[in-house]
Amino acid sequence: MYKRQDHTDSTFKDASAFHSTLLNRAKDISFVINQMADLGKTDANNFLSGMVDDGNIGIIGYSMGGYGVLNVAGAGYSEGLVGFFARMTGGSKAISSLAMGNVAYPKVDPRIKAVVAFAPWGMERGIWDAEGLKGLKVPTFFIAGNQDDISGYEKGIKAIYSGAVNADRYLLTYKNARHNVAPNPPPLESLQPGLHIDEYYSCLLYTSPSPRD
């Protein structure tokens, strides 16, 4: 039996303090890559057996997902983030493993061949610096709105794009687009009992296949 696994401490049902997302988003992405590679082995007895080309992986992330995929693809976090994390938690050891200054940081995962980063969060908060962004070396497609009010544009997404000097990179900018967009008023389906309206307003509605054996 397989089931959907959401990001650690980051859903409306299990939301924890923000520092958990800062630490776990990239780790979750790496975990999924490794699990898919294992499930795709030809001798594995599951629905992905022999169907995964784990030598040619593309990763996509939006907002905090963009924050995560850039790190997994080689853009190590700054010492500024390490200090920010330490002020929230009282320690920096956990997040240091993802920082560019850590000699043990896996700067390149050779399986990753392309990245799509939708409105990646963090640059305006000092999450990356010039050295960290130099670590991104795989082709990357950035997508942004020039009125992004969460990740920022000129000093946010565009600054990441400009700083990733070692990557074959592209930036698509939507004029007058913000970070979140949703129809107003919301569809009646989103107001049914048992649903959390904030999930709609955060534009995180999605569908997924049903669990199966």
Side-chain angles (χ1 to χ4, degrees):
M1 175 72 71
Y2 300 94
K3 65 179 182 178
R4 188 187 72 204
Q5 180 63 53
D6 293 312
H7 280 298
T8 305
D9 296 339
S10 294
T11 71
F12 284 96
K13 294 180 180 179
D14 73 345
S16 185
F18 185 51
H19 63 76
S20 179
T21 295
L22 290 175
L23 172 64
N24 288 306
R25 188 53 52 95
K27 290 178 177 289
D28 286 347
I29 295 166
S30 294
F31 174 82
V32 170
I33 291 174
N34 292 331
Q35 289 296 299
M36 290 188 67
D38 287 343
L39 289 170
K41 291 178 179 177
T42 55
D43 59 348
N45 184 23
N46 62 70
F47 73 107
L48 286 178
S49 178
M51 297 178 64
V52 177
D53 181 2
D54 64 351
N56 290 286
I57 292 175
I59 52 178
I60 301 173
Y62 161 64
S63 194
M64 290 307 298
Y67 156 93
V69 296
L70 293 177
N71 181 259
V72 173
Y77 297 137
S78 69
E79 291 305 310
L81 173 60
V82 174
F84 179 53
F85 187 87
R87 289 192 294 274
M88 285 191 291
T89 65
S92 63
K93 184 176 181 180
I95 200 74
S96 292
S97 64
L98 304 177
M100 198 67 177
N102 186 342
V103 295
Y105 168 68
K107 306 212 172 29
V108 176
D109 184 334
R111 300 172 299 177
I112 297 174
K113 298 301 193 294
V115 176
V116 178
F118 288 84
W121 178 87
M123 190 64 181
E124 288 191 329
R125 303 297 182 93
I127 299 304
W128 287 282
D129 55 21
E131 288 305 308
L133 291 175
K134 287 179 182 178
L136 184 65
K137 298 179 180 180
V138 298
T140 302
F141 183 32
F142 294 92
I143 301 174
N146 72 345
Q147 300 299 317
D148 193 306
D149 52 334
I150 302 297
S151 296
Y153 180 67
E154 291 290 345
K155 297 181 179 180
I157 306 157
K158 187 177 179 181
I160 298 174
Y161 162 79
S162 298
V165 294
N166 291 323
D168 187 6
R169 65 203 191 279
Y170 306 86
L171 171 63
L172 171 63
T173 297
Y174 286 93
K175 292 183 178 180
N176 300 315
R178 296 170 55 217
H179 193 80
N180 297 313
V181 179
N184 188 22
L188 294 177
E189 292 82 358
S190 69
L191 302 175
Q192 295 301 309
L195 296 180
H196 200 304
I197 188 60
D198 286 346
E199 296 190 45
Y200 168 79
Y201 283 124
S202 295
C203 301
L204 297 177
L205 292 181
Y206 60 95
T207 59
S208 63
S210 300
R212 56 179 173 171
D213 294 323

